Amino acid sequence: MQTPSTNVSSAASPTTSITSKHPYKEPKQVEALAGLRDLLGPSNENYDDGELMRFIVARSYDLPAAKTQLLASLEWRKSNNVDDIPIPRSNNSNGVMYAVRGWHSVPDANIESGQPNVPEHAVRLQKYLGGSCLHKWDKEGRPIYIERMGQHNVKGLAKNVTTSELVDYHIRCTEFVHNTIIPECEERFGTDDKFIDKETVIFDCSGMGFHQLHMEGLNMLKSLTEMDQKAYPERLGKLFIVNSPFVFVKVYSMIKKWLDPGVIEKIHILGKDYKSVLLKHIDDENLPEFLGGTCTCSHMPGGCVPSVIMNNIKAVEKTPSSGNHLAVPTYLRPRSSSTASANSILDFVIPGKPKDGIYQLVSTVSHGKACEYEVVVADEDIGHEPEVVINFRMKGVRAACEGLNFTIVRFEFGEVADSGTIVVPTKFYSIEECPECGKGVEVKFGAKQAGLYVMSWKPENQRGLVQIEYGVSVDGILGEGDSP
């Protein structure tokens, strides 16, 4: 979504175009725009016709619903500081979030560590994505986004990247397209009768299999899809899904339930007979050779669509530790398979910075149920056996638990956690051994294997409640505290 324009005339009529370069002429469009501007009142002058029309179309000309969605999207942007996100532009040196090819605003580039305003998680997740690129433009002047969807390591992505990190990455990419690339397309290819505010997307499903049917990964995709439809309506021009195998039918049957009817109409599932269709919409010199065009981008490492998984480019080196970026992908989150997480835990994170090195994550467990949290250690960090440190302390319910023993800091390695492989010995603590304030109890261990570690604790009987605060760090860098 474009940032609301401030260069508007206060004398402009609410029934006419204010800042739009492309006036809408159809009677239905003119009437709808006038109606929505009337509903918005004086604030209607903050938006051009193109922006308003996207919300009108998204809500099938239901003007009150279009107003509601527009205002909700603006509130979402404000509460998440979306307009303050640094993105690559022609007047700065910010690094790109994925490969780009063929633009004036940003030179051809691949994502690299250490570039200005490229967060660590954007670099880390490249290892698990099949490869993507904003690659030139179609015959309508729309930017083309290509993703090797069939190569995604969905399970690795879900294990090593949090949903919040993936959402942040997606927002950064989307804002870059909408605020840097699409304005360039407008300048280069737009005319009085051709308004460019959408992109063309190609998903290549080559290599897709049942191994990608991973529910946590699909739930991540659902989060992105729902956000796009609410905050960025009518930004998709066409979506071509090529080389789609049988398994895609299974995946799409789930994804389709999340999509608005207007989005579904723009999706073209082409299977293996796709080249002639793509070439109707894209000139061959702008279409990668592996998709039926003639472009190879041989001047760039990885060619048209770099892919670590396909080994046409080397893995991006880890971003060095700096101020706001995690040097290792460590995070703390309730484990979805934890029985207690589903039945008997009240978990929440108190906003703000860590206090005394401990995030204010509070867990209350009753009935002797186990509470489980996850810690991730990445493959690239395992060589030096990073030190994982767990701090925990009581949170004010000692009276209810006097004399109670409980099990704390029981760690298991991810893939074999259910079979009970212990990598750090279980230890029993009495309530008196876990202080209410100060640093609390500290447990350390060297992570000898990369992957998912499960931390669990539980009271040893059903007497009362136990509240615990946790803090997790790896090599001194605090992980994230996520509420379930």
Side-chain angles (χ1 to χ4, degrees):
M1 181 174 68
Q2 296 177 350
T3 303
S5 172
T6 57
N7 184 23
V8 296
S9 170
S10 60
S13 167
T15 61
T16 60
S17 173
I18 291 180
T19 62
S20 179
K21 176 182 175 182
H22 311 277
Y24 291 89
K25 301 175 182 178
E26 295 181 11
K28 182 180 180 181
Q29 295 173 330
V30 174
E31 181 181 358
L33 285 167
L36 182 53
R37 290 191 180 280
D38 286 340
L39 288 176
L40 290 169
S43 68
N44 85 89
E45 296 182 359
N46 293 330
Y47 318 105
D48 67 21
D49 285 351
E51 184 174 10
L52 295 182
M53 185 54 66
R54 289 194 293 105
F55 287 87
I56 290 170
V57 173
R59 299 277 61 85
S60 301
Y61 284 76
D62 181 337
L63 301 186
K67 175 187 174 182
T68 298
Q69 184 176 358
L70 170 64
L71 297 181
S73 71
L74 294 175
E75 179 59 32
W76 171 81
R77 294 182 70 85
K78 180 179 179 181
S79 63
N80 290 279
N81 299 315
V82 174
D83 291 324
D84 296 330
I85 293 175
I87 60 174
R89 298 180 187 270
S90 59
N91 61 353
N92 67 37
S93 59
N94 290 334
V96 297
M97 295 293 106
Y98 50 30
V100 294
R101 304 286 189 266
W103 306 102
H104 295 162
S105 305
V106 179
D108 289 358
N110 296 331
I111 184 170
E112 298 179 20
S113 65
Q115 293 299 301
N117 291 307
V118 175
E120 184 276 331
H121 60 263
V123 174
R124 184 194 337 136
L125 61 80
Q126 301 303 314
K127 180 177 179 179
Y128 309 101
L129 296 180
S132 60
C133 181
L134 195 66
H135 189 276
K136 302 184 178 180
W137 49 89
D138 66 10
K139 291 182 179 181
E140 295 185 51
R142 294 171 173 170
I144 304 169
Y145 174 74
I146 302 172
E147 186 171 304
R148 297 183 187 265
M149 179 177 282
Q151 301 297 325
H152 290 338
N153 179 352
V154 179
K155 190 173 182 179
L157 186 69
K159 179 186 293 186
N160 294 284
V161 180
T162 66
T163 299
S164 60
E165 289 173 333
L166 188 62
V167 168
D168 176 78
Y169 172 77
H170 184 72
I171 291 173
R172 289 171 184 265
C173 294
T174 302
E175 291 295 313
F176 166 60
V177 174
H178 295 173
N179 294 292
T180 299
I181 298 302
I182 284 182
E184 178 182 328
C185 291
E186 262 282 275
E187 181 179 349
R188 294 173 66 177
F189 310 116
T191 66
D192 289 341
D193 297 320
K194 183 168 68 174
F195 183 27
I196 302 173
D197 65 345
K198 297 175 173 58
E199 61 181 318
T200 293
V201 176
I202 302 174
F203 286 160
D204 181 10
C205 294
S206 299
M208 181 174 284
F210 283 100
H211 63 283
Q212 292 179 317
L213 289 177
H214 186 268
M215 283 311 302
E216 284 195 48
L218 291 174
N219 285 334
M220 285 179 163
L221 176 60
K222 183 179 181 182
S223 298
L224 300 183
T225 301
E226 290 177 345
M227 181 184 69
D228 280 347
Q229 292 181 136
K230 292 176 181 178
Y232 301 108
E234 288 298 309
R235 284 298 197 177
L236 176 65
K238 292 182 175 65
L239 168 58
F240 299 103
I241 299 172
V242 304
N243 289 315
S244 53
F246 172 75
V247 67
F248 178 78
V249 177
K250 296 291 185 182
V251 177
Y252 187 59
S253 65
M254 290 184 283
I255 295 175
K256 194 174 182 179
K257 299 175 183 178
W258 311 334
L259 304 178
D260 289 338
V263 174
I264 294 174
E265 292 177 358
K266 300 174 183 180
I267 297 176
H268 305 269
I269 302 175
L270 303 178
K272 297 185 180 299
D273 299 324
Y274 62 85
K275 295 181 181 179
S276 60
V277 177
L278 291 184
L279 289 170
K280 289 180 181 178
H281 298 273
I282 304 169
D283 291 326
D284 59 355
E285 65 267 23
N286 290 340
L287 186 66
E289 189 175 60
F290 72 89
L291 291 174
T294 59
C295 186
T296 61
C297 289
S298 58
H299 64 293
M300 291 298 297
C304 294
V305 186
S307 171
V308 173
I309 290 178
M310 297 187 71
N311 296 315
N312 67 14
I313 192 172
K314 292 183 179 179
V316 183
E317 293 297 322
K318 183 181 64 176
T319 304
S321 175
S322 62
N324 296 323
H325 299 158
L326 291 174
V328 292
T330 295
Y331 59 87
L332 179 69
R333 66 183 182 189
R335 192 180 187 208
S336 59
S337 62
S338 172
T339 302
S341 295
N343 297 328
S344 61
I345 296 182
L346 170 65
D347 289 319
F348 59 92
V349 177
I350 300 175
K353 296 181 179 179
K355 181 180 179 181
D356 301 330
I358 297 181
Y359 279 96
Q360 303 302 291
L361 173 66
V362 179
S363 293
T364 303
V365 176
S366 60
H367 308 305
K369 300 287 187 177
C371 173
E372 297 182 335
Y373 284 86
E374 299 176 344
V375 179
V376 167
V377 177
D379 294 339
E380 57 265 29
D381 295 305
I382 204 63
H384 65 282
E385 292 190 13
E387 183 181 61
V388 178
V389 179
I390 308 295
N391 290 314
F392 55 93
R393 62 191 177 199
M394 295 301 299
K395 182 67 175 178
V397 290
R398 296 172 67 97
C401 304
E402 186 176 354
L404 176 66
N405 293 329
F406 59 93
T407 305
I408 195 73
V409 295
R410 170 175 167 265
F411 293 91
E412 301 174 344
F413 186 60
E415 292 302 315
V416 291
D418 292 335
S419 68
T421 300
I422 307 298
V423 297
V424 171
T426 295
K427 181 174 180 179
F428 288 89
Y429 290 88
S430 70
I431 212 72
E432 287 76 16
E433 290 181 277
C434 188
E436 286 192 14
C437 58
K439 191 174 183 180
V441 176
E442 182 178 86
V443 175
K444 299 180 180 180
F445 71 96
K448 298 181 182 298
Q449 293 176 284
L452 178 67
Y453 289 78
V454 178
M455 174 179 70
S456 69
W457 63 273
K458 69 177 181 178
E460 288 303 296
N461 59 40
Q462 297 184 15
R463 295 177 54 194
L465 302 176
V466 177
Q467 272 190 339
I468 300 288
E469 292 181 330
Y470 291 95
V472 177
S473 65
V474 171
D475 282 353
I477 299 171
L478 282 168
E480 297 182 8
D482 288 340
S483 57

